Amino acid sequence: MSQPMYALIGKELQVKPYQVEAAVQLLDEGNTVPFIARYRKEVTGELQDEQLRTIEERIKYLRNLESRREEIIISITEQEKMTDQLHNDLLKAIKLQELEDLYLPYRPKKRTRASIARERGLEPLALMILDDAVSVGDPLAIGTEYINDEVPDAEAALQGASDIVAEMVSDRADFRAYLRKTMWNEGFMQAQLAGEEEQQQGFLQYADYAEPVRQMPSHRILAINRGEKLGALKLALTVPDDKYITYMIEKLKKGNSIFSDYKTAAVTDAYKRLIFPALDREIRNQLTDNADEQAIKIFGVNLKNLLLQPPLAGHVIMGLDPGYRTGCKMAIIDSQGNVLDYGAYYLTNSEKLRKEAQKVLAGKIKKFGVTLLSIGNGTASYETEQFASAMIEEENLNCHYIITNEAGASVYSASKLAIDELPDLDVTIRGAVSIARRVQDPLAESVKIDPKSIGVGQYQHDVNQKQLTNTLNQVVETVVNHVGVELNTASPAILQHVAGISSTVAKNIIAYRQEHGAFKSRKELLKVPRLGPSAFTQCAGFLRLQQGKNALDNTSVHPESYDLAEQIVELLGFTVKDLQYKDTLEQLQVKLPLADAEQLAKKLDAGVPTVRDILDALAKPGRDPREDLPVPLTRKHVVSLEDIKVGTVVTGTVHNVVDFGAFIDFGLKTNGLLHRSEVCKGSQHPSDVLAVGDIIEAEIISVDAKRNRIGLSVKALQNKEKNAK
């Protein structure tokens, strides 16, 4: 069945079956997705990370399907109930649900009303009812023929036979498939308030709510699920029951029968007692699965964009972790992330304490040459921003400030990793260090925190946690390997996300570095305990050595391609050593764009994608791909509530993207909501238009101070610009 599997996945992804087969073979051999995507392009026909991960998931599903198909065929065959038609139907099934529907009549069941009736010898009577076999006579008279020690009278016989009919009708795969599809298309999800008034407060918009199942957006599904879980909502799937019962009766009709009333009652019982409850659960589960998948996908996209935020390199940064009662925690780090100074100051208490803090902090900013303040966005953030803005102006300081997402900082501060990194600092100060480092290198700092704690999703605590963790780990792995990691400064937290490196090996790398000093070449990694040739192959290309002996160690060129890279450089009239010197590197960079990858590949008997990638890597040794993105927005002045009026145009940073729009931080304590209707066209999703970290201009279209909500619009601003022209 492998070839059909490759063809099926290829059709779904719109790629060739050979590409799928090659990817599956590489994955089966233990290669990682980042490695295959970057260094096996010739083999897979240049499949991307996302395609490879889909192939990985789909082949696992289809292999499970194949295994289950074999189990079912063996089970039915052993029961001596296999037919040619059933065997063909089982072979054609391409979904687990189809297989399970076909297997349902043959699945070993616990004792049911139908199985008890069969034990009492009532199956022949059931078949008589189901097949419309008798057109004249008295049902009760026929029922008396089945009276025995366990069947006291004719009515009991007919009831038992009807139970068998109900189960046989319920077990029909064609009925289940039809009703499942029709219920999805015609069903409504209804909600009513339940429980105490206090519980209902967050769900008042769902009083007497009803929406077609097929149209429900994921955020609404997750919201009503949460309401049901908290006891604030009572949910029900409503469908045209009578229509479905009539459909089944008509499909089962074979002629006039004296048992028609019993058959109708049995079909009704089958639908209400067996089919509807099962399909109700299925549809609810499917809705939740779809919502989980969408929410997790959005979380993954947001996390990827957050992790790819450009580092604000070269700054001496003061991290401020705001607080009221315990004061604002402060830490200053140099351009390498080393802690220079720290303390705690009261910025929001008395005017006297505020002025004292301003004098001390301004002095430290001048002393250490601080050029950027990183303010956490938690409790007392707005007041701290007001303080920073006033201090910069009053003390005439040459610096800016930025509001930083501090989600997860407290979790990190108390972690073993934080204790190992900053053993001499109090847990509260570690939070301020983290807030400063998050601006300096968002990726290096964010990987130290559980992705679920970063807070760039929707309903992340309501979705499937195992699936969420798996997806977010994949996102982190993809970003880390895309950016690359400096081997001699990387923390174990970031190293363990490099392809082929486990957490144990990451610790071994740090231990080796501490014992032997800085790595001088990528090949030296082979001396690290438990990092063998296979792991080296996977990880080497993603690790960088800025001060390595070989200039290629500071590029994305894989060691397996060093000979090829050297030949390419020589054909262009240079040597690899020339990459280390500014003048010769600049000369090489002039020639590289003129090089023909296809001709070089042909001449050197190499793959075109590999040659193309080597040319790109040689152009910018040590290049950080995040450099191509716009730098985060910094400020000098705070935006006050008085500045916020309908019609005001603001510049802000996309803080979070969700199904119903995006939250924009434009310097106020409350983020503005840019609803999807104000930014999207047609069926676009907000994530198709915006990404976390984007800097945009928008117009304020509503201010609801009571509910603490500010509405934004891009369309209104665009329309104004059009009219002005």
Side-chain angles (χ1 to χ4, degrees):
M1 279 294 287
S2 292
Q3 292 304 324
M5 283 185 193
Y6 302 147
L8 179 64
I9 297 172
K11 188 177 179 182
E12 291 170 352
L13 288 176
Q14 296 183 313
V15 299
K16 304 290 184 187
Y18 89 84
Q19 294 177 276
V20 179
E21 184 174 4
V24 170
Q25 189 174 340
L26 286 165
L27 289 165
D28 286 347
E29 289 169 359
N31 293 289
T32 61
V33 167
F35 174 79
I36 297 169
R38 184 69 178 77
Y39 298 112
R40 290 297 179 263
K41 290 180 178 179
E42 285 89 351
V43 182
T44 68
E46 300 193 69
L47 291 175
Q48 303 297 310
D49 292 71
E50 292 81 1
Q51 293 171 307
L52 289 164
R53 294 203 188 279
T54 302
I55 289 170
E56 191 174 32
E57 289 170 13
R58 288 295 287 142
I59 200 69
K60 184 179 179 182
Y61 176 89
L62 291 173
R63 283 171 172 171
N64 286 340
L65 176 77
E66 209 51 48
S67 175
R68 183 62 179 148
R69 192 194 319 272
E70 288 174 17
E71 290 172 7
I72 288 172
I73 288 172
I74 290 169
S75 174
I76 297 174
T77 303
E78 285 176 350
Q79 295 175 44
E80 299 182 352
K81 293 178 180 176
M82 183 62 76
T83 65
D84 290 344
Q85 181 62 50
L86 178 57
H87 191 259
N88 286 335
D89 289 344
L90 288 167
L91 291 179
K92 286 178 188 172
I94 58 171
K95 292 183 180 178
L96 276 169
Q97 188 62 66
E98 292 174 29
L99 274 181
E100 297 301 341
D101 280 355
L102 290 166
Y103 184 46
L104 192 56
Y106 311 97
R107 183 201 294 275
K109 295 180 173 73
K110 295 177 183 177
R111 276 172 65 80
T112 62
R113 282 160 51 171
S115 64
I116 293 168
R118 284 191 179 94
E119 291 167 8
R120 293 173 178 174
L122 297 173
E123 189 158 19
L125 181 56
L127 293 173
M128 222 181 284
I129 296 171
L130 188 62
D131 295 338
D132 293 334
V134 182
S135 59
V136 292
D138 182 2
L140 289 172
I142 295 174
T144 57
E145 296 173 20
Y146 292 88
I147 293 172
N148 56 40
D149 292 342
E150 293 176 311
V151 182
D153 52 42
E155 276 294 351
L158 289 165
Q159 181 56 55
S162 296
D163 288 339
I164 296 172
V165 171
E167 188 170 275
M168 292 172 79
V169 170
S170 170
D171 284 351
R172 279 192 43 165
D174 58 338
F175 282 166
R176 292 225 169 198
Y178 169 79
L179 291 173
R180 183 182 291 113
K181 183 178 179 181
T182 312
M183 283 182 178
W184 183 271
N185 289 328
E186 298 181 348
F188 276 74
M189 186 57 66
Q190 291 191 320
Q192 289 183 327
L193 293 175
E196 302 295 325
E197 270 191 48
E198 192 177 332
Q199 293 172 308
Q200 296 174 1
Q201 286 310 302
F203 303 94
L204 296 176
Q205 67 268 43
Y206 296 110
D208 301 321
Y209 153 88
E211 186 170 12
V213 165
R214 69 181 188 280
Q215 294 178 4
M216 291 183 72
S218 64
H219 63 276
R220 200 127 64 228
I221 295 165
L222 294 170
I224 63 173
N225 281 356
R226 179 187 285 182
E228 184 181 47
K229 190 176 180 180
L230 295 173
L233 295 176
K234 187 177 180 181
L235 304 180
L237 173 66
T238 58
V239 293
D241 301 318
D242 292 343
K243 175 183 169 182
Y244 301 157
I245 293 167
T246 302
Y247 168 83
M248 290 191 290
I249 290 168
E250 290 299 318
K251 280 284 183 182
L252 290 165
K253 194 166 186 177
K254 296 176 182 176
N256 294 321
S257 170
I258 61 172
F259 295 111
S260 60
D261 289 345
Y262 290 97
K263 188 174 178 179
T264 297
V267 172
T268 303
D269 179 47
Y271 175 80
K272 291 184 176 179
R273 180 169 58 88
L274 302 171
I275 298 174
F276 179 80
L279 294 184
D280 180 31
R281 280 193 304 275
E282 272 188 37
I283 289 170
R284 287 292 309 277
N285 289 339
Q286 187 62 54
L287 281 170
T288 300
D289 288 347
N290 291 351
D292 282 2
E293 188 177 335
Q294 172 69 1
I296 289 168
K297 178 186 172 185
I298 296 302
F299 201 135
V301 170
N302 287 343
L303 178 64
K304 182 177 181 180
N305 290 322
L306 180 72
L307 295 177
L308 282 171
Q309 286 295 290
L312 285 173
H315 285 280
V316 176
I317 301 173
M318 176 181 282
L320 295 173
D321 185 0
Y324 290 119
R325 186 177 56 82
T326 56
C328 177
K329 277 64 69 180
M330 181 280 293
I332 298 173
I333 60 170
D334 65 17
S335 57
Q336 304 303 312
N338 301 306
V339 179
L340 302 176
D341 197 4
Y342 57 88
Y345 302 89
Y346 292 93
L347 317 180
T348 61
N349 298 69
S350 66
E351 182 63 18
K352 181 186 175 186
L353 288 173
R354 193 196 72 78
K355 283 187 176 178
E356 286 176 4
Q358 179 173 312
K359 186 178 178 183
V360 174
L361 290 176
K364 290 182 182 293
I365 288 170
K366 291 171 183 174
K367 177 183 176 183
F368 293 105
V370 172
T371 51
L372 185 65
L373 277 60
S374 176
I375 303 171
N377 67 340
T379 305
S381 173
Y382 183 60
E383 291 81 355
T384 305
E385 184 185 2
Q386 288 177 310
F387 169 86
S389 176
M391 176 176 68
I392 289 169
E393 188 175 349
E394 291 169 15
E395 303 288 340
N396 196 26
L397 300 173
N398 185 27
C399 62
H400 291 71
Y401 69 82
I402 187 170
I403 306 299
T404 305
N405 180 2
E406 67 172 48
S410 58
V411 177
Y412 161 75
S413 301
S415 69
K416 185 178 184 303
L417 178 62
I419 294 168
D420 291 342
E421 285 187 331
L422 305 165
D424 301 326
L425 297 185
D426 183 74
V427 65
T428 56
I429 299 298
R430 290 188 204 124
V433 174
S434 177
I435 288 167
R437 286 178 174 173
R438 282 191 195 197
V439 176
Q440 194 171 67
D441 191 339
L443 177 58
E445 198 63 24
S446 296
V447 293
K448 300 173 185 176
I449 298 158
D450 179 353
K452 288 182 287 187
S453 301
I454 291 178
V456 285
Q458 56 183 23
Y459 297 99
Q460 58 260 41
H461 301 295
D462 296 314
V463 300
N464 183 305
Q465 294 300 294
K466 185 178 178 183
Q467 191 182 341
L468 176 64
T469 300
N470 185 48
T471 299
L472 298 185
N473 286 340
Q474 287 179 357
V475 169
V476 175
E477 180 187 53
T478 297
V479 173
V480 167
N481 290 286
H482 170 68
V483 171
V485 173
E486 169 55 47
L487 180 56
N488 281 324
T489 57
S491 69
I494 199 166
L495 280 171
Q496 69 185 8
H497 292 291
V498 174
I501 296 181
S502 65
S503 57
T504 301
V505 172
K507 290 173 186 172
N508 291 347
I509 290 172
I510 302 297
Y512 181 92
R513 206 167 65 194
Q514 290 171 341
E515 185 179 346
H516 301 280
F519 284 89
K520 295 173 181 63
S521 73
R522 281 170 167 169
K523 283 186 178 177
E524 199 178 342
L525 280 164
L526 289 164
K527 296 179 181 179
V528 173
R530 298 184 70 175
L531 200 159
S534 296
F536 177 79
T537 299
Q538 298 299 310
C539 72
F542 302 111
L543 296 167
R544 308 278 184 270
L545 279 170
Q546 198 172 351
Q547 305 299 328
K549 290 179 181 176
N550 189 333
L552 293 175
D553 282 349
N554 195 33
T555 70
S556 58
V557 177
H558 197 282
E560 67 186 9
S561 297
Y562 278 11
D563 288 346
L564 177 60
E566 287 170 9
Q567 291 176 60
I568 291 171
V569 172
E570 285 171 13
L571 284 172
L572 295 173
F574 296 86
T575 67
V576 167
K577 284 191 175 179
D578 290 331
L579 295 171
Q580 295 175 320
Y581 305 106
K582 187 179 179 184
D583 292 346
T584 48
L585 175 60
E586 286 176 355
Q587 292 170 30
L588 175 61
Q589 286 171 332
V590 172
K591 283 196 172 185
L592 283 168
L594 306 174
D596 188 315
E598 290 189 16
Q599 285 186 7
L600 283 170
K602 192 173 182 181
K603 188 169 187 176
L604 298 170
D605 192 25
V608 175
T610 297
V611 171
R612 196 191 307 128
D613 285 348
I614 289 173
L615 291 171
D616 288 343
L618 293 173
K620 292 183 178 179
R623 173 184 174 271
D624 187 332
R626 294 173 294 175
E627 294 169 5
D628 299 336
L629 300 167
V631 296
L633 188 67
T634 60
R635 297 189 176 91
K636 271 196 170 185
H637 302 291
V638 70
V639 178
S640 68
L641 195 59
E642 289 71 36
D643 300 328
I644 302 306
K645 294 179 177 65
V646 172
T648 304
V649 176
V650 294
T651 301
T653 305
V654 177
H655 177 75
N656 194 7
V657 181
V658 292
D659 280 344
F660 51 85
F663 290 99
I664 313 297
D665 171 16
F666 58 91
L668 198 64
K669 187 174 184 178
T670 302
N671 285 342
L673 173 61
L674 183 61
H675 192 268
R676 64 181 300 154
S677 61
E678 298 295 338
V679 69
C680 297
K681 294 177 182 176
S683 60
Q684 281 183 323
H685 188 277
S687 62
D688 297 329
V689 186
L690 298 168
V692 169
D694 282 354
I695 296 167
I696 66 165
E697 275 195 343
E699 182 180 335
I700 294 172
I701 56 171
S702 65
V703 179
D704 186 342
K706 194 174 180 183
R707 298 172 73 190
N708 212 20
R709 290 184 181 179
I710 297 165
L712 301 173
S713 173
V714 171
K715 287 180 180 176
L717 187 58
Q718 291 169 344
N719 290 337
K720 272 190 177 179
E721 289 171 353
K722 280 181 187 176
N723 293 335
K725 289 176 184 177

